[in-house]
Amino acid sequence: MNEADRRLLRQSRVRLVGELQVAALWDALLNRELFTPDMIEDIQRAGSGSRRDQARQLITDLETRGSQALPLFISCLEDTGQETLASLLRTSRQAAKQDPEAIRPLNLKPVVLGPVSLKPKELRGAKQDPSRPSQGKLAPVVLGPEELWPAKLRPEVLRPEAPKPVDIGSGGFSEIRAQDRAKGNADLAYVLNADPCGHCLIINNVNFCHESGLRTRTGSSIDCERMQQRFHLLHFMVDVKCNLTAKQMVQALVELARRDHSALDCCVVVILSHGCQASHLQFPGAVYGMDGYPMSVERIVNIFNGTGCPSLGGKPKLFFIQACGGEQKDQGFEVASTSPEDRTPDSDPEPDATPFQEGPVTVDQPDAVSSLPTPSDILVSYSTFPGFVSWRDTKSGSWYIETLDSIFEQWAHCEDLQTLLLRVANAVSVKGVYKQIPGCFNFLRKKLFFKM
């Protein structure tokens, strides 16, 4: 879907959600091949299954259905007697073509917030009120319209410093004691005493059907073996499933969510596949089934919500996604070298990106702005920043999984998960000619220390 149609759809979202009669649309959407039967079923199950929830999900998913999605949708509205909404969209679309500025968002100026002595330079001369306590050296936050970020604004990345390795011989016991105190305090850290600790499902999609246009993910089996062994050592019951269609992925995840986790303390899902951008409300990105159909990360996570998986309520649910977030290659920017080039002469990195293509699996839109309440006890770790490729070496596996496994091996006995992921991000960021930076959506309420 082009940017003008996407913007028009989002501007009309409130009225569409309020007035759209979705029950009359299903046959028309199928007849015009805007959605498959499985996709329609997914929309019908959205949220509580109410008309508004279904309408909201339909509008969100419509952005992923290619360049002709909006005119086809307008035709479906006309076919089902919803002429008022059809006329609204048709008239607005024609007006936008004649005057593109009519639906252009406000030209907002980015605003930089931060304590005195931080950027921008003109703030440095300001005097801080001595009667107010300092809040510490907070990193400045850059706010601006979504389409300006990150390519034009280049905001400051909010990333706390990874703690330095503890040198036992130089009196570095304070950090160890602090971590130990957190481990033993149920108010500060999740309790992971069960043995086994929980289930770990690994979905490893290597081979894709010819019609999908997706390449074989050579080297992914190395990633799979690493994660299988690592989580086994961390006291998880590991189940590996390979080369699943999008529908089979849903079935495997639902089956895991419906198990009784009452006697367990945690749940882990690892997905190794090709990926793409996807319209979303909470979690960005999507991963492909071997049939070439995408499954949004948001839907994967929501399978494990309180309704679908009540026995995991209040317990950490961890998702590790090794897949591309898009097609952009990050060239990086020049800094003083902090590590030698780590690409070996015989290495063969390739991205887990998917070529842009029109048709049923086209996903060419940027991510939407989150508008739902934040879930709790969930962490989603992505191999790359949304919109960029994730690199995988055909001989040694992906940068992200290789580094994740190595960091867990060295530090999981004494550091919490968030600190481990900071180490992973730092280590991956200095690899290769093209750059990659992992990141996460962390909605955990406490620190998480793996059972050793």
Side-chain angles (χ1 to χ4, degrees):
M1 181 176 289
N2 63 50
E3 182 60 30
D5 284 353
R6 185 182 305 114
R7 197 179 296 130
L8 170 59
L9 197 59
R10 292 178 182 176
Q11 286 187 345
S12 308
R13 182 183 183 89
V14 173
R15 184 166 177 184
L16 287 169
V17 170
E19 301 179 16
L20 192 63
Q21 299 304 310
V22 291
L25 282 171
W26 305 135
D27 289 340
L29 294 171
L30 288 171
N31 291 338
R32 294 185 181 274
E33 298 183 347
L34 256 178
F35 294 95
T36 67
D38 287 342
M39 292 176 181
I40 294 293
E41 289 180 11
D42 290 344
I43 295 171
Q44 291 171 337
R45 289 195 295 263
S48 64
S50 67
R51 183 202 63 79
R52 291 183 67 88
D53 284 345
Q54 291 178 356
R56 187 178 294 111
Q57 190 63 50
L58 173 58
I59 300 307
T60 299
D61 290 354
L62 188 63
E63 293 186 26
T64 72
R65 305 310 299 154
S67 60
Q68 294 303 308
L70 185 55
L72 288 174
F73 180 63
I74 293 173
S75 298
C76 290
L77 291 174
E78 294 171 337
D79 293 345
T80 56
Q82 302 185 62
E83 182 59 40
T84 302
L85 293 177
S87 177
L88 168 69
L89 294 176
R90 189 190 317 107
T91 304
S92 300
R93 192 166 187 261
Q94 291 172 351
K97 287 183 177 179
Q98 296 172 1
D99 182 13
E101 296 295 322
I103 62 170
R104 185 177 298 276
L106 295 176
N107 185 22
L108 301 177
K109 300 280 187 178
V111 179
V112 182
L113 305 179
V116 177
S117 81
L118 294 180
K119 296 177 181 179
K121 291 182 178 179
E122 53 268 26
L123 290 180
R124 291 180 179 171
K127 295 183 179 180
Q128 187 173 1
D129 184 354
S131 65
R132 302 190 63 175
S134 172
Q135 298 299 314
K137 290 191 175 182
L138 302 177
V141 180
V142 180
L143 305 179
E146 177 187 3
E147 57 268 25
L148 292 181
W149 184 84
K152 297 179 182 178
L153 282 183
R154 300 295 179 191
E156 293 280 343
V157 177
L158 303 184
R159 187 178 299 115
E161 278 190 22
K164 298 178 181 179
V166 176
D167 183 355
I168 299 301
S170 61
F173 289 102
S174 59
E175 187 174 324
I176 294 178
R177 287 198 297 268
Q179 298 278 29
D180 287 341
R181 283 196 299 269
K183 285 183 183 180
N185 189 334
D187 291 331
L188 299 177
Y190 290 100
V191 177
L192 269 61
N193 289 334
D195 196 358
C197 182
H199 292 286
C200 172
L201 173 63
I202 301 176
I203 297 177
N204 181 29
N205 288 341
V206 180
N207 302 309
F208 296 80
C209 67
H210 177 74
E211 294 77 11
S212 71
L214 300 173
R215 297 173 58 185
T216 298
R217 299 183 60 256
T218 307
S220 185
S221 295
I222 299 172
D223 288 343
C224 184
E225 291 173 6
R226 283 194 173 115
M227 290 294 93
Q228 184 176 6
Q229 181 179 5
R230 180 57 49 203
F231 281 102
H232 176 73
L233 292 173
L234 294 174
H235 300 270
F236 283 85
M237 297 175 285
V238 182
D239 184 18
V240 176
K241 296 184 181 294
C242 298
N243 299 323
L244 302 185
T245 64
K247 187 171 184 178
Q248 289 171 336
M249 290 170 66
V250 173
Q251 292 171 344
L253 292 162
V254 170
E255 178 185 339
L256 174 61
R258 289 178 178 173
R259 292 182 183 177
D260 184 6
H261 301 263
S262 301
L264 305 173
D265 293 330
C266 185
C267 185
V268 173
V269 173
V270 181
I271 298 184
L272 314 170
S273 186
H274 283 298
C276 60
Q277 293 189 79
S279 182
H280 71 287
L281 297 175
Q282 292 174 327
F283 300 96
V287 291
Y288 281 104
M290 58 83 62
D291 54 351
Y293 283 95
M295 180 179 181
S296 70
V297 173
E298 181 166 287
R299 186 184 176 197
I300 292 170
V301 174
N302 286 339
I303 289 174
F304 294 84
N305 62 20
T307 303
C309 190
S311 61
L312 274 175
K315 300 176 182 180
K317 297 162 279 286
L318 314 177
F319 301 84
F320 298 90
I321 311 295
Q322 165 54 43
C324 268
E327 301 174 42
Q328 296 186 64
K329 295 178 180 179
D330 189 352
Q331 302 277 0
F333 55 92
E334 189 171 344
V335 295
S337 177
T338 57
S339 65
E341 176 59 56
D342 62 343
R343 178 176 173 181
T344 57
D346 60 345
S347 67
D348 186 16
E350 59 181 38
D352 274 330
T354 56
F356 177 82
Q357 51 186 321
E358 286 290 347
V361 299
T362 296
V363 181
D364 64 339
Q365 71 297 324
D367 299 325
V369 178
S370 175
S371 60
L372 291 183
T374 301
S376 62
D377 306 300
I378 285 174
L379 182 141
V380 183
S381 175
Y382 293 88
S383 61
T384 190
F385 191 90
F388 289 85
V389 298
S390 178
W391 294 100
R392 169 177 35 82
D393 193 292
T394 58
K395 298 180 177 64
S396 60
S398 68
W399 294 358
Y400 168 69
I401 294 296
E402 179 183 24
T403 307
L404 187 73
D405 178 54
S406 175
I407 294 296
F408 278 21
E409 180 180 15
Q410 296 176 65
W411 298 99
H413 68 283
C414 64
E415 293 185 345
D416 69 286
L417 178 58
Q418 182 66 2
T419 303
L420 297 173
L421 293 178
L422 286 170
R423 290 188 180 275
V424 172
N426 182 57
V428 172
S429 68
V430 298
K431 287 179 175 285
V433 176
Y434 288 115
K435 295 303 175 183
Q436 177 181 333
I437 179 72
C440 69
F441 281 64
N442 181 11
F443 301 124
L444 299 179
R445 296 175 294 112
K446 307 175 184 180
K447 290 180 178 291
L448 187 147
F449 297 90
F450 287 111
K451 181 181 178 67
M452 302 302 294

